[in-house]
Each structure stands twice: as structure tokens, then as C-alpha cells.
Amino acid sequence: MSKLFFIGFGLAIMSFLLFLIVRRKVIVKNNGYFVAFLFCMFFFDVLGLTLARYQYNNALYNLLSLVEFNLLFLFYFGISENKVTKKVIIVSIISYGLVYVMSSVYYGVNIFSKKYNTVAPVFGATFIGVVLILYLREFLLTEKILSYKEDVFFWITTGLLLYYIGTIPLTAMLGFMERSIAFDFLYKIQHVLTIIMHSCFLIGMLWSLKKGK
């Protein structure tokens, strides 16, 4: 594993622990979904490292893609105040569920061991990307923009948007590549995106704590 992976993994743990400890001070509603998302992101990495030697880590990450996107959909359904955004989220949940089931059936039994389902994460990242853009638009049209630095939802959304928009082409390409130097390079880019995402989470949390003092 590269140093970038462990940096991202360390930031993931920090994000989860910090949000868990002070979430009631900075997030008023629906914080449970986001905290659960943070927990899954680092917990599944721990299990993935453990199961890698048994070649079952792909099955684990296939399960993670189902859990992570639905947690984010539910999180944004709770914090959004826009009816259009909420309708888009409902459509996204249904559409992603169908894509996940259909792609899993297509890959067959290999999805439980050797095959990583790259189709579902690409569609999931696209759906959540649309939701994030709609929420940012909603945010920009309110007075919240005047104090965006202290708004943890702004930083969460920014971090997620940078991560998922960046991973769409990476995930799509990884599905058609064999293990090589180029393959490892793409993984390093994904680790950098992970670092950027969790850095945004931590910045948002620290700014929000500063505002609460």
C-alpha cells in the first residue's frame, strides 16, 4: 500500500471520530446518515485489507458501493429544502438500485469474489454528483452563502463533489485495465481525491466549531 493510501485512511478515521464526538454541536439534523457514511468508508477499508489475502475484498467493496450512495442520498434528502432536489434524490435511489441489481446479475457469481462491479459506482457517482450540484445551487441562492466558511454542509458537499466527479472516469477506466504501472497510477489519483475529500470535511468541521464558540 502506498503512503497516499495510509494518509487518506488516517484522515478518514479523523473525520469519523471528530464528527462522532462533536456532531451535535455543528450538525442539527440527519447527521446519523453522514456519520454512518464516514464509518463505512474507513471500516470497509479495514475489512478490505484483511480480506485481500483471501480474494474477497472485491465483494466487500461491491457491498460498500450499495451502502455508501444510499446513505448519502438519505442524508441529502434530509438536509435539502428544495422539492425538485428531493424528487431527484428519490429517482436516484430507485435508479441506482435498479442499476446495482442489474449489473450484479450481469457479472454473476464472480461479484462475490473476484469481480469488482465498476458499473454501479460509476452510475452512483453520477447520480450523487447531480444531487450535490443541485444542493450547491440551493445553497448559493440562500443567505447561507454569506457565511459559507462556517457551514459544514457546504464543505461536506464540496468535498464529496470533488471526490465523486473525479472518480467517475477513474472507476470507468479501472474496469477495463489489467494490473500495471498505469493502473497503480490511477489508484494513486483516487487516493489523492480521498485526501482532498476528507480534508474538506475536517476544514468544515473546524470552521463550524469556531463559529459555535
Side-chain angles (χ1 to χ4, degrees), residues 8-211:
F9 182 70
L11 290 175
I13 295 176
M14 290 173 61
S15 296
F16 169 68
L17 292 178
L18 187 57
F19 271 78
L20 186 64
I21 293 171
V22 300
R23 65 192 179 101
R24 296 185 183 278
K25 296 181 179 180
V26 296
I27 304 180
V28 178
K29 53 185 179 179
N30 297 286
N31 51 48
Y33 292 123
F34 187 69
V35 173
F37 165 79
L38 291 176
F39 174 77
C40 288
M41 294 301 284
F42 89 83
F43 182 68
F44 275 72
D45 275 338
V46 172
L47 289 181
L49 290 173
T50 304
L51 296 176
R53 67 184 67 181
Y54 304 109
Q55 297 185 335
Y56 285 106
N57 56 330
N58 281 333
L60 189 70
Y61 286 114
N62 289 333
L63 175 60
L64 173 62
S65 68
L66 175 64
V67 174
E68 68 171 298
F69 289 114
N70 280 293
L71 286 173
L72 289 176
F73 288 141
L74 292 172
F75 173 65
Y76 278 96
F77 187 84
I79 67 173
S80 174
E81 299 175 357
N82 185 278
K83 292 182 179 180
V84 174
T85 303
K86 286 181 177 291
K87 289 180 180 179
V88 170
I89 293 173
I90 293 173
V91 172
S92 297
I93 292 174
I94 297 171
S95 300
Y96 179 67
L98 291 173
V99 169
Y100 186 89
V101 171
M102 292 173 64
S103 59
S104 297
V105 171
Y106 172 78
Y107 284 121
V109 295
N110 286 331
I111 202 170
F112 296 108
S113 57
K114 299 179 180 180
K115 187 65 179 178
Y116 177 56
N117 184 352
T118 57
V119 175
V122 169
F123 276 89
T126 302
F127 292 146
I128 197 63
V130 172
V131 172
L132 295 170
I133 291 172
L134 288 174
Y135 180 77
L136 275 181
R137 177 182 178 277
E138 178 184 336
F139 182 88
L140 292 172
L141 294 176
T142 64
E143 294 183 356
K144 294 178 183 178
I145 188 61
L146 299 176
S147 57
Y148 72 93
K149 286 185 179 180
E150 293 85 13
D151 194 299
V152 70
F153 294 141
F154 169 80
W155 288 100
I156 289 174
T157 305
T158 300
L160 290 172
L161 186 62
L162 292 173
Y163 176 78
Y164 283 113
I165 294 301
T167 57
I168 290 174
L170 295 179
T171 304
M173 287 187 289
L174 288 173
F176 298 97
M177 295 178 64
E178 298 292 335
R179 191 69 186 239
S180 62
I181 295 177
F183 184 91
D184 292 337
F185 177 73
L186 291 180
Y187 256 116
K188 288 182 180 179
I189 295 177
Q190 192 158 10
H191 295 329
V192 171
L193 292 172
T194 300
I195 292 171
I196 293 173
M197 177 180 69
H198 286 290
S199 295
C200 287
F201 296 166
L202 291 170
I203 290 172
M205 177 61 73
L206 294 174
W207 271 109
S208 297
L209 287 175
K210 183 178 180 181
K211 177 183 178 182

